Amino acid sequence: MNVIWRTLLTIWRAKIQLRRKGTLPPTAVGRVSVRTLPTDIDLLGHMNNGRYGSLFDLGRFDLLIRTGIWDVFSRKGWYAVVASETITFRKSLQLWQRFTVESRLLGHDDKSAYLMHRAVVDGEVFAEMIVRARFLRRSGGIVPHEELFQELHRPDNLPELAPWVVEWAAASALPSTRVPAPSTWQ
C-alpha cells in the first residue's frame, strides 16, 4: 500500500509527458526518478530486496503510458500480468539515495513480451530485472501480439529476443494452468 502514492504520481507524470511530448517508440528507454524511502529499507539498512519489484512497476507504468499501450489497454479491456521475473543485485541502495528506474521493452515471443528494468545511480547499474509479461483480456483469453500492434497502429519492429532471454524464459516457466503442478520436493 505504501507504494500507491508513488504509483499514482508516476501515472500522472507519465500522462503529462505523453500529452506534451507524444508517444515514445516501443524501443525507447523510459526513466523514472526515485528516492529510497524509510518504508523501502530492511533491517540491514538498505533497500529491501522485495521492494525492487514494486518500484520497477513504476517504470513499467511509465513505459506503458508513454508508448500509448496504456490507453489501448484501457479502451479494449486488456491488462498485463507478470508471468515470471528474475532480479540480479550488484550494489545496495541506501536510505534517501536517489536512483533512476530505467525500463525498456526487449521484444516478444508468441505468448509474452519481455522487459528489462534497472536501478541506476549516476549511470551505474545497481540492480537489473528481466520480466516476462502476458497481455490478457478482462473477458478472458490472451491478446495476440498481432492484435496489439494493429490496435497501436504500429508495425512489430521490436528486435529479436537475445538467445539468453529465450533460454531464461524456457528454464523459468512453470507448467500450464491446464495441467497439474504438484508441490513435490526431491
Side-chain angles (χ1 to χ4, degrees):
M1 183 66 182
N2 54 27
V3 180
I4 190 71
W5 302 115
R6 287 195 262 188
T7 301
L8 294 173
L9 182 61
T10 298
I11 289 170
W12 179 72
R13 285 179 175 163
K15 287 184 175 196
I16 288 172
Q17 285 192 1
L18 176 64
R19 278 195 300 273
R20 287 183 181 167
K21 298 179 181 178
T23 57
L24 291 176
T27 56
V29 175
R31 291 179 174 85
V32 176
S33 296
V34 184
R35 181 185 295 268
T36 308
L37 299 178
T39 53
D40 302 326
I41 302 301
D42 63 17
L43 294 174
L44 299 175
H46 59 249
M47 182 139 81
N48 180 289
N49 62 307
R51 180 63 78 197
Y52 283 85
S54 295
L55 295 179
F56 286 161
D57 279 348
L58 302 178
R60 200 157 39 256
F61 281 122
D62 175 74
L63 198 60
L64 287 173
I65 290 167
R66 294 179 60 215
T67 57
I69 295 172
W70 179 277
D71 288 339
V72 170
F73 277 25
S74 296
R75 189 176 72 251
K76 298 293 285 185
W78 298 344
Y79 63 100
V81 294
V82 172
S84 56
E85 61 189 15
T86 299
I87 187 166
T88 304
F89 302 99
R90 190 170 162 270
K91 286 186 171 185
S92 295
L93 290 167
Q94 305 302 317
L95 181 61
W96 305 119
Q97 188 167 13
R98 286 187 179 275
F99 65 99
T100 302
V101 173
E102 294 183 349
S103 304
R104 182 170 182 227
L105 284 163
L106 296 178
H108 65 86
D109 58 21
D110 59 330
K111 293 181 182 177
S112 303
Y114 296 82
L115 298 95
M116 182 70 73
H117 298 290
R118 294 178 176 163
V120 178
V121 177
D122 296 327
E124 186 176 3
V125 176
F126 276 46
E128 184 174 79
M129 175 187 273
I130 184 167
V131 175
R132 182 170 63 97
R134 299 187 79 180
F135 303 128
L136 305 177
R137 302 175 196 278
R138 293 203 185 281
S139 59
I142 296 170
V143 178
H145 294 300
E146 300 80 30
E147 188 175 350
L148 172 65
F149 285 109
Q150 181 180 347
E151 284 295 324
L152 289 170
H153 306 292
R154 292 192 192 150
D156 173 8
N157 60 357
L158 291 172
E160 286 285 319
L161 289 173
W164 73 267
V165 174
V166 175
E167 291 167 12
W168 166 80
S172 63
L174 289 173
S176 163
T177 57
R178 294 183 184 97
V179 298
S183 176
T184 55
W185 297 91
Q186 298 184 40

